[in-house]
Amino acid sequence: SQQGEEDPQALSIQEGENATMNCSYKTSINNLQWYRQNSGRGLVHLILIRSNEREKHSGRLRVTLDTSKKSSSLLITASRAADTASYFCATDLVIAAGNKLTFGGGTRVLVKP
Amino acid sequence: EAGVVQSPRYKIIEKKQPVAFWCNPISGHNTLYWYRQNLGQGPELLIRYENEEAVDDSQLPKDRFSAERLKGVDSTLKIQPAELGDSAVYLCASSFWKQGVGTSGEKVYEQFFGPGTRLTVL
């Protein structure tokens, strides 16, 4: 079952604009991760935010987390055509012998040149 | 460093036929995951291994799916017999998990994914 729900399901923007996508989840988490998936390829880890953090930056990426609202957002600034991909949030629960990721349905982002 | 390797990349079979997928994780990674990704959705975990032990197979449909990781390195996921609803992309991922690491180090939590096997059941 999918833990997170992402909004919007699809997003189309012009190169240079910012892209914002949101993720809501239902249960307690240890961390929340964001992954990117280019067409026909596997997922690539983008950024992790811990449950005790509110905001995190990595290059052109900015992630926020509000555990009281059980929601997270991913902002991509100054988007490029190469940012065209599907973006997934994944709730991260640390359990015995590893961690368990539960993915949302994803946001499909199209960046037009 | 080589990434997670999966084969085949594509497989087309008729329903009721068996099919197998192979995964070779990143060298040194002790934890291996199989996910299924339906079209337009996020991946869903099927089974998780720590070394050769399946530590979470609660979402694996055991009537037709089986998996093994005999030497704690590469792994095989099998479906027998396949059904139309099994059409999906099967993703393998690996990570390095060390007992007692706790909350230090993001890399402990990152999973590395292979390109997947796209299965079409006709």
Side-chain angles (χ1 to χ4, degrees):
Chain A
S1 61
Q2 308 269 272
Q3 158 77 298
E5 293 185 4
E6 295 181 64
D7 171 56
Q9 291 187 334
L11 181 61
S12 181
I13 56 174
Q14 292 293 139
E15 204 165 24
E17 294 181 340
N18 296 340
T20 300
M21 58 210 84
N22 303 296
C23 168
S24 61
Y25 58 93
K26 299 173 184 175
T27 62
S28 297
I29 60 172
N30 294 107
N31 312 296
L32 189 137
Q33 301 190 34
W34 286 88
Y35 284 77
R36 181 185 68 211
Q37 185 176 37
N38 293 91
S39 179
R41 297 186 182 180
L43 285 85
V44 175
H45 179 263
L46 293 177
I47 193 167
L48 176 151
I49 186 165
R50 301 185 192 283
S51 60
N52 61 355
E53 297 177 316
R54 292 296 169 259
E55 187 172 314
K56 195 161 185 179
H57 296 255
S58 177
R60 295 184 296 113
L61 304 179
R62 172 179 171 254
V63 171
T64 64
L65 178 64
D66 187 335
T67 53
S68 66
K69 296 181 179 179
K70 289 187 169 55
S71 67
S72 175
S73 69
L74 172 66
L75 168 67
I76 305 173
T77 60
S79 63
R80 306 167 180 168
D83 294 329
T84 294
S86 291
Y87 293 81
F88 295 90
C89 68
T91 56
D92 184 355
L93 191 63
V94 178
I95 52 180
N99 62 323
K100 183 168 184 175
L101 296 183
T102 306
F103 287 85
T107 294
R108 278 149 284 282
V109 175
L110 172 64
V111 181
K112 293 179 282 188
Chain B
E1 176 182 284
V4 176
V5 178
Q6 290 188 249
S7 68
R9 291 295 310 278
Y10 304 92
K11 189 74 176 179
I12 300 174
I13 61 172
E14 293 190 348
K15 63 181 180 181
K16 299 185 182 180
Q17 294 298 308
V19 64
F21 315 121
W22 177 79
C23 171
N24 191 33
I26 291 173
S27 178
H29 280 190
N30 55 356
T31 307
L32 183 144
Y33 313 79
W34 282 103
Y35 291 87
R36 177 170 59 191
Q37 186 175 22
N38 292 314
L39 187 63
Q41 297 182 21
E44 293 184 315
L45 181 69
L46 292 173
I47 189 168
R48 178 167 61 93
Y49 281 93
E50 184 189 11
N51 298 310
E52 65 277 2
E53 181 183 0
V55 294
D56 184 358
D57 63 356
S58 58
Q59 293 177 251
L60 188 74
K62 297 182 184 63
D63 57 336
R64 297 184 299 107
F65 286 66
S66 63
E68 60 183 14
R69 192 186 185 201
L70 292 176
K71 296 183 179 179
V73 181
D74 58 347
S75 175
T76 302
L77 178 68
K78 298 178 182 177
I79 309 175
Q80 182 170 13
E83 298 178 352
L84 295 177
D86 295 331
S87 293
V89 176
Y90 291 83
L91 295 166
C92 178
S94 69
S95 66
F96 177 71
W97 182 263
K98 182 178 179 182
Q99 194 72 27
V101 170
T103 58
S104 62
E106 282 191 22
K107 291 299 181 183
V108 173
Y109 303 105
E110 178 181 349
Q111 295 184 15
F112 296 81
F113 284 81
T117 297
R118 182 176 297 276
L119 173 67
T120 301
V121 182
L122 302 176

Coordinates of all heavy atoms in Angstrom, one line a residue, chain B residues 1 27 60 84 89 93:
Chain B
E1 N 32.4 2.9 -9.6 CA 31.8 1.8 -8.8 C 30.5 1.4 -9.6 O 29.7 2.2 -10.0 CB 31.4 2.3 -7.4 CG 30.6 1.3 -6.6 CD 30.2 1.8 -5.3 OE1 31.0 1.9 -4.4 OE2 29.0 2.2 -5.1
S27 N 28.5 -4.0 -4.6 CA 29.5 -4.8 -3.9 C 29.6 -4.3 -2.4 O 29.7 -3.1 -2.2 CB 30.9 -4.7 -4.5 OG 31.8 -5.4 -3.7
L60 N 5.0 -10.2 -0.1 CA 5.2 -11.1 -1.2 C 4.1 -12.1 -1.4 O 3.8 -12.8 -0.5 CB 6.5 -11.8 -1.0 CG 7.1 -12.6 -2.2 CD1 7.6 -11.7 -3.3 CD2 8.1 -13.6 -1.7
L84 N -1.9 -11.9 -15.7 CA -2.0 -10.6 -16.4 C -1.6 -9.5 -15.5 O -0.9 -8.5 -15.9 CB -3.4 -10.4 -17.0 CG -3.7 -11.4 -18.1 CD1 -5.2 -11.1 -18.6 CD2 -2.8 -11.3 -19.3
V89 N 7.0 -3.1 -13.6 CA 8.4 -3.0 -13.5 C 8.9 -3.6 -12.2 O 8.4 -3.1 -11.1 CB 8.9 -1.6 -13.7 CG1 10.5 -1.5 -13.6 CG2 8.5 -1.1 -15.1
A93 N 16.9 -3.1 -5.3 CA 17.7 -2.0 -4.7 C 18.6 -2.7 -3.6 O 18.3 -3.8 -3.1 CB 16.8 -1.0 -4.0

